[in-house]
């Protein structure tokens, strides 16, 4: 909801309520920007993969437009989209495509169609501890490790000897089911098979890398932007025999890395006013530089679809 | 505003009591009665609303209550085969609670006996304040301690691959339920008449014999109630176990294995489940299950306490 409180600061609580009501009355769209100093609040929620980059966007954008406050929170792509469908936030971040059922729900709830913009790319990296001798993995092996009904439970079964451990049971690190990363991995690495029960389902991209970095026998998946010195990113092969590809910017752009995906922001209906200006800025060179600096892959200039 | 002291009902025509005073008194009486009844009202209302959210899925033909209770397969967002089995979650809750009680009951009852029978009054007052302080620590802080301090300690001491597990959650929950057990247990021991102590000592019992032959049997019901309330605290705790148990849905093979509890599962998944979807309703059904478990524990505690009063 875009709130434009009037300028008198003394009776703020009352006026804030009045402004909220007024904004609700005109459908939550950005009202005409008055000449008076006013603070516009943009609510932004969703993907944990994107929460870091979204926060930097918000901070950088404050320098460009001091009268706009962007409030960023995570929770997962599903949580962000669920909030958008109820009209609770202005922009939802999602590291997966919106589902047809979600579009339907939005139209039922608010009468508006969600509109999405590709704001960057992420390569989902497969992480192991830095002392793990493994350097590349096939999607088939990932399925054997992660999927329901699969049999691989020990590193020795795929020919890996972890130095200095007696029990080489693979510690599978996964994400909570509201995460876009979880759904993307299930779809693209496991061929939509379910995860086997018993993986550690963590609540954030950073937590996955932290746990893998602290556990010799762990394997996990997370955005490539979260790599640290304690972990190693594996090269991934989509088919046996084809070359293993490391998650790099070039491999994402030419689509040779099998676990690359688009990052999106969604709005209800075509973005208006301050929200439109913000998304325009995200897709500008300045906004895309933030994407690159955060460890993700920016959208090439000719592929940017501006609102 | 105190009326003249007069036993029995006041005469109807008393000049010094104005009408507003009588009405005011009635209003306050009604208010007090309302606050007394409201607790029941709220519990009934909460149960009703939770059950109402869950009900539509229970009566569906493709939903099996047997699978819900006795299957370990929890796949609420599966792309092609959605399954809602909560057995692994129930076992998760029970395993963490059992470990917590194994740790908290000896410490809690020991502390209660020490406070009530062995320590000097000044030490007792200080200890009670500290123990009350322990119960004032928010659960998210306990969770944070589990996630950061305890988890590293467990990895270092036990060699477990991951520090967030049943042991971690059990220790954190034990620390959270000890204050409950201590304060109620101490009350129960204090309620044993001094004549019992005097009789025991007069018969030549040592203090230890007095405690385990006389006081503990006499305060048995109160001590049991203290333990059961501790169990209730542990079963219902959410935030701390969400952070400290590792969030893995499966039946644990040992105390160094990660689990997920019923409460943590609701907290983690309710935000993402679209309102009115099957997943959402099943989570409410899980809430109902949890409610029934804690209700049974508290009711047992209540009956036990009632047992004391009858004596």
């Amino acid at each position: 909801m875009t709130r434009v409180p009037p300028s008198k600061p003394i009776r703020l609580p009352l006026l804030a309520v009045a402004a909220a009501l007024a904004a609700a009355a005109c459908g939550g769209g950005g009202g005409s920007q008055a000449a008076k100093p006013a603070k516009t609040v943009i609510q932004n929620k969703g993907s944990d993969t994107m929460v870091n980059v979204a926060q930097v966007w918000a901070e950088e954008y404050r320098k460009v437009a001091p009268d706009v406050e962007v409030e960023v929170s995570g929770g997962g792509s599903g949580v962000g989209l669920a909030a958008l469908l109820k009209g609770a936030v202005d922009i939802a971040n999602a590291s997966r495509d919106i589902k047809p059922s979600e579009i339907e729900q939005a139209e039922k709830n608010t009468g508006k169609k969600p509109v999405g913009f590709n704001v960057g790319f992420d390569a989902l990296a497969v992480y192991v501890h830095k002392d793990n001798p493994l350097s590349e993995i096939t999607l088939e092996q990932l399925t054997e490790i992660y999927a329901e009904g699969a049999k691989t439970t020990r590193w020795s079964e795929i020919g890996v000897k972890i130095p200095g451990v007696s029990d080489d049971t693979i510690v599978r690190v996964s994400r909570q089911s509201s995460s876009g990363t979880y759904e993307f991995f299930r779809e693209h690495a496991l061929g939509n098979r379910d995860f086997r029960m018993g993986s550690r389902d963590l609540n954030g991209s950073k937590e996955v890398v932290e746990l893998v970095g602290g556990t010799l026998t762990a394997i996990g998946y997370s955005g490539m932007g979260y790599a640290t010195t304690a972990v190693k990113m594996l090269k991934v092969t989509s088919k046996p025999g084809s070359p293993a590809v490391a998650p790099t910017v070039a491999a994402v752009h030419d689509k040779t890395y099998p676990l690359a995906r688009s990052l999106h922001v969604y709005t209800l209906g075509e973005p208006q006013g301050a929200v439109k200006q913000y998304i325009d800025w995200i897709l500008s060179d300045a906004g895309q530089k933030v994407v690159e600096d955060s460890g993700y892959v920016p959208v090439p200039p000719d592929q940017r679809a501006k609102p | 505003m105190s009326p003249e002291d007069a036993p029995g009902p006041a005469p109807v025509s008393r000049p010094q009591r104005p009408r507003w005073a009588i009405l005011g008194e009635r209003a306050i009486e009604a208010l007090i009665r309302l606050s007394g009844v409201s607790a029941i009202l709220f519990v009934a209302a909460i149960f009703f609303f939770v059950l109402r959210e869950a009900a539509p899925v229970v009566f569906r033909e493709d939903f099996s209550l047997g699978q819900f209770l006795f299957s370990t397969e929890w796949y609420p967002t599966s792309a092609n085969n959605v399954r809602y089995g909560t057995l692994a979650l129930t076992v998760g809750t029970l395993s963490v609670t059992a470990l917590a009680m194994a740790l908290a009951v000896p410490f809690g009852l020991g502390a209660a006996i020490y406070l009530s029978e062995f320590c000097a009054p000044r030490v007792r007052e200080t200890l009670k304040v500290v123990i009350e302080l322990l119960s004032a620590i928010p659960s998210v802080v306990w969770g944070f301690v589990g996630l950061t301090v305890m988890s590293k300690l467990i990895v270092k001491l036990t060699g477990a691959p991951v520090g967030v597990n049943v042991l971690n959650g059990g220790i954190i929950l034990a620390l959270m339920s000890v204050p409950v057990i201590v304060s109620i247990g101490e009350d129960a021991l204090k309620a044993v008449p001094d004549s019992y102590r005097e009789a025991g000592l007069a018969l030549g019992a040592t203090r230890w014999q007095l405690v385990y032959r006389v006081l503990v049997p006499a305060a048995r019901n109160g001590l049991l109630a203290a333990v059961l309330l501790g169990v209730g605290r542990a079963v219902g705790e959410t935030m701390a176990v969400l952070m400290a148990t590792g969030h893995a849905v499966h039946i644990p093979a040992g105390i160094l294995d990660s689990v997920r509890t019923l409460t943590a599962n609701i907290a983690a998944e309710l935000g993402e489940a679209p309102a009115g979807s099957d997943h959402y309703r099943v989570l409410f059904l899980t809430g109902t299950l949890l409610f029934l478990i804690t209700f049974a524990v508290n009711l047992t505690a209540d009956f036990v306490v009632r047992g004391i009063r009858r004596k």
Side-chain angles (χ1 to χ4, degrees), chain B:
Chain B
M1 200 178 65
S2 77
E4 288 178 32
D5 291 329
V12 185
S13 60
R14 176 172 282 197
Q16 57 269 64
R17 292 204 71 201
R19 175 175 281 254
W20 61 264
I22 297 169
L23 285 177
E25 200 169 292
R26 284 210 186 124
I28 285 171
E29 249 181 58
L31 207 66
I32 291 172
R33 186 169 299 137
L34 188 70
S35 26
V37 177
S38 65
I40 301 174
L41 222 70
F42 284 131
V43 170
I46 289 170
F47 190 66
F48 172 74
F49 283 114
V50 170
L51 202 59
R52 195 187 63 170
E53 290 298 313
V57 82
V58 178
F59 298 110
R60 285 252 305 274
E61 276 172 21
D62 54 346
F63 178 82
S64 145
L65 199 63
Q67 190 203 39
F68 173 75
L69 288 174
F70 301 118
S71 162
T72 58
E73 292 170 352
W74 177 256
Y75 288 104
T77 58
S78 168
N80 34 40
N81 186 9
V82 175
R83 280 152 290 170
Y84 303 107
T86 58
L87 184 65
L89 304 171
T90 313
V91 172
T93 291
L94 295 181
S95 61
V96 176
T97 308
L99 181 66
M101 286 306 116
L103 297 170
V105 168
F107 278 104
L109 292 186
I113 290 168
Y114 175 72
L115 277 181
S116 149
E117 305 303 322
F118 291 94
C119 77
R122 190 173 298 167
V123 180
R124 173 162 59 229
E125 289 316 308
T126 320
L127 272 177
K128 280 181 87 163
V129 169
V130 174
I131 287 169
E132 268 156 32
L133 213 63
L134 204 62
S135 70
I137 297 175
S139 62
V140 65
V141 175
W142 282 120
F144 187 71
V145 169
L147 197 60
T148 55
V149 184
M150 290 278 294
S151 112
K152 289 203 181 77
L153 214 62
I154 287 174
V155 170
K156 196 180 270 178
L157 294 179
T158 65
V162 178
V164 279
N165 49 27
V166 177
L167 180 63
N168 193 334
I171 293 173
I172 294 291
L173 280 187
L175 285 166
M176 296 177 78
S177 18
V178 157
V180 178
I181 297 178
V182 172
S183 62
I184 297 175
E186 197 222 343
D187 285 347
L189 287 168
K190 275 268 165 302
V192 177
D194 275 343
S195 54
Y196 283 43
R197 294 183 179 82
E198 286 154 10
L201 291 174
L203 287 171
T206 62
R207 283 172 102 185
W208 168 238
Q209 286 170 330
L210 181 68
V211 166
Y212 88 100
R213 288 277 174 77
V214 178
L215 296 176
V216 170
R220 194 182 55 219
N221 288 338
L223 295 177
L224 192 57
V227 170
L228 287 177
L229 284 173
V231 172
R233 176 95 173 88
V235 169
E237 175 49 40
T238 306
M239 200 60 215
V241 289
L242 179 67
M243 294 166 82
T245 54
H247 226 62
V249 186
H250 68 160
I251 292 182
I255 61 168
L256 295 177
D257 219 347
S258 297
V259 290
R260 192 190 298 187
T261 65
L262 288 164
T263 48
N265 188 56
I266 296 175
E269 294 190 354
L270 197 56
E272 59 162 300
S277 66
D278 282 358
H279 184 194
Y280 172 89
R281 299 207 182 285
V282 170
L283 286 176
F284 271 93
L285 194 62
T286 316
T288 314
L289 177 66
L290 194 63
F291 190 94
L292 290 176
I293 294 175
T294 44
F295 187 68
V297 170
N298 281 349
L299 203 67
T300 316
D302 199 51
F303 280 136
V304 169
V305 173
R306 241 169 249 275
I308 300 173
R309 290 217 192 103
R310 260 209 311 275
K311 278 191 174 173

Side-chain angles (χ1 to χ4, degrees), chain A:
Chain A
M1 190 184 292
T2 315
R3 282 186 214 141
V4 188
S7 58
K8 283 185 202 164
I10 304 155
R11 298 163 66 195
L12 204 65
L14 191 68
L15 289 173
V17 170
L21 285 175
C26 65
S32 62
Q33 204 88 350
K36 300 169 193 169
K39 194 113 187 161
T40 310
V41 178
I42 298 176
Q43 296 287 349
N44 180 206
K45 191 180 180 75
S47 167
D48 285 318
T49 305
M50 294 168 70
V51 71
N52 285 356
V53 66
Q55 248 147 18
V56 183
W57 276 333
E59 281 162 28
E60 290 293 317
Y61 193 62
R62 204 172 296 154
K63 295 176 196 157
V64 182
D67 57 334
V68 178
E69 175 99 28
V70 184
E71 290 179 357
V72 180
S73 56
S77 302
V79 174
L81 286 169
L84 184 76
L85 311 188
K86 286 185 284 190
V89 297
D90 301 299
I91 303 176
N93 305 330
S95 55
R96 60 165 169 82
D97 290 327
I98 192 166
K99 296 173 192 165
S101 64
E102 287 169 331
I103 295 175
E104 212 172 279
Q105 186 100 34
E107 284 174 335
K108 209 177 80 188
N109 287 355
T110 63
K112 288 185 208 158
K113 211 176 161 68
V115 182
F117 303 93
N118 182 6
V119 293
F121 300 96
D122 176 32
L124 207 59
V126 178
Y127 291 100
V128 291
H129 191 273
K130 66 171 170 28
D131 293 339
N132 190 322
L134 191 67
S135 67
E136 54 181 78
I137 197 162
T138 65
L139 290 186
E140 205 177 333
Q141 284 172 322
L142 279 176
T143 310
E144 274 304 303
I145 291 170
Y146 271 104
E148 188 187 18
K151 296 285 180 289
T152 305
T153 58
R154 294 181 177 279
W155 284 107
S156 50
E157 287 165 30
I158 55 170
V160 178
K161 172 99 184 67
I162 310 277
V165 294
S166 51
D167 177 10
D168 70 340
T169 304
I170 301 174
V171 174
R172 286 166 289 138
V173 184
S174 183
R175 291 292 310 279
Q176 89 279 14
S177 57
S178 63
S179 144
T181 312
Y182 169 97
E183 293 194 12
F184 182 86
F185 192 81
R186 185 175 68 191
E187 196 178 328
H188 292 86
L190 309 185
N192 251 339
R193 281 171 70 180
D194 280 308
F195 284 86
R196 194 176 347 151
M197 295 272 97
S199 54
R200 269 78 175 174
D201 304 338
L202 304 186
N203 275 319
S205 303
K206 201 167 108 269
E207 280 88 333
V208 169
V209 178
E210 268 173 12
L211 184 56
V212 173
T215 312
L216 268 167
T217 51
I219 185 168
Y221 57 90
S222 190
M224 63 185 260
Y226 289 88
T228 64
T229 53
V231 294
K232 180 158 70 177
M233 287 195 263
L234 297 180
K235 291 180 182 170
V236 181
T237 321
S238 52
K239 286 186 234 59
S242 63
V245 183
T248 58
V249 174
V252 170
H253 275 160
D254 65 15
K255 300 192 167 58
T256 50
Y257 184 69
L259 294 175
R261 56 178 173 169
S262 308
L263 304 175
H264 309 272
V265 295
Y266 284 95
T267 57
L268 270 183
E270 285 295 333
Q272 310 277 329
V275 174
K276 176 181 175 342
Q277 286 165 15
Y278 183 53
I279 294 178
D280 275 338
W281 178 84
I282 288 175
L283 288 166
S284 71
D285 290 344
Q288 289 298 302
K289 187 171 181 309
V290 171
V291 175
E292 195 177 353
D293 292 346
S294 306
Y296 298 103
V297 181
V299 185
D302 56 323
Q303 287 180 27
R304 292 177 198 165
K306 293 204 178 185

